[in-house]
Amino acid sequence: MENVGLLLIFWYGVLHAFGPDHLTAIADFSIGKNRNKTMLITTLFALGHGLSLFVFAKILESYHVSDVLLGYGDILSSLVILSIGIYLLYMVFTDRIQLKKHIHSGKEHLHIWFGKEHSHGNADTASAFTIGTLMGIGGVRGMLITLGAIEGQSVDFVMVFAFTLGVMSIFVGFGVVILYINKNLLNSKQNLRRVFATAGVVSVIVGSNMLIG
């Protein structure tokens, strides 16, 4: 029964990852990144998501929280996606998304960055973990319902690890799709603006629909 329960949790993680808010967030953070950073971002997002679910699920095991209060987790996830969309559109329309070609060892290399000046940093990877953690709050209710189907077992690390693996499998797979877009479409400033504008519009639509729903 335990193995069946873990498979159920893994499958719930897979289904949970297909949520439009999650895929939208992954796309927003991964567009324009190289392969290593894209894979790192998707992994950190999944880990932050799993950690958040584990912490809040343990809290809810000990303390009763009303459905109304839990609903604020969904609102938080919606606002995160909506804010990212607005931010991306702002960066596009103020011409703050830049692309520059370099030649390294005889091979052309593209650098894409936000802002007026070219800079390197790990802010995007740290942000992916943070956003994944915040959005995990919105999935706590669903995870607890799934756990209830496994004879009311207490939430433990193995269960959350199985869930996180399910989430990560989809996120990494979606990251491969984003890598294809990065490699084949982001080869000009015009295409760059179009892709980020599309990501921004989709984020606004998804976030707004979640709030309305």
Side-chain angles (χ1 to χ4, degrees):
M1 182 63 188
E2 181 179 355
N3 291 335
V4 174
L6 291 178
L7 284 175
L8 181 61
I9 292 297
F10 175 84
W11 182 245
Y12 172 69
V14 169
L15 296 178
H16 184 79
F18 272 112
D21 52 335
H22 302 115
L23 297 183
T24 299
I26 291 295
D28 291 343
F29 278 94
S30 301
I31 291 175
K33 305 298 189 300
N34 60 36
R35 181 180 60 185
N36 291 338
K37 181 156 284 190
T38 297
M39 293 299 101
L40 179 60
I41 285 173
T42 55
T43 300
L44 287 176
F45 191 95
L47 291 175
H49 210 61
L51 176 63
S52 176
L53 283 166
F54 177 70
V55 171
F56 281 94
K58 295 301 288 185
I59 292 174
L60 292 177
E61 281 186 340
S62 302
Y63 302 97
H64 172 73
V65 179
S66 68
D67 287 340
V68 174
L69 190 58
L70 286 175
Y72 284 107
D74 299 325
I75 295 176
L76 178 60
S77 297
S78 306
L79 290 175
V80 167
I81 295 299
L82 181 60
S83 299
I84 292 175
I86 293 173
Y87 172 74
L88 288 179
L89 291 175
Y90 168 77
M91 298 302 277
V92 169
F93 290 113
T94 58
D95 196 26
R96 293 176 184 271
I97 303 178
Q98 311 296 338
L99 177 149
K100 188 174 182 180
K101 297 181 180 180
H102 299 274
I103 302 296
H104 295 298
S105 302
K107 294 183 179 180
E108 188 176 74
H109 179 67
L110 293 178
H111 282 182
I112 298 172
W113 72 95
F114 284 10
K116 294 296 185 180
E117 297 182 0
H118 189 183
S119 62
H120 295 276
N122 296 314
D124 46 5
T125 52
S127 298
F129 180 82
T130 301
I131 297 300
T133 301
L134 289 175
M135 293 184 66
I137 300 174
V140 173
R141 282 188 298 179
M143 185 177 180
L144 289 180
I145 291 173
T146 304
L147 288 173
I150 313 174
E151 298 181 350
Q153 294 184 31
S154 175
V155 181
D156 60 24
F157 177 78
V158 176
M159 289 179 175
V160 176
F161 181 70
F163 170 85
T164 303
L165 283 180
V167 170
M168 193 178 300
S169 65
I170 301 303
F171 285 176
V172 172
F174 188 62
V176 173
V177 176
I178 299 299
L179 283 175
Y180 177 84
I181 294 174
N182 291 341
K183 182 178 180 180
N184 295 280
L185 295 182
L186 302 187
N187 48 20
S188 69
K189 184 69 176 291
Q190 184 179 32
N191 285 348
L192 184 71
R193 289 171 58 86
R194 287 174 178 171
V195 170
F196 273 104
T198 300
V201 170
V202 170
S203 296
V204 169
I205 292 174
V206 171
S208 299
N209 283 341
M210 290 172 63
L211 281 175
I212 295 173

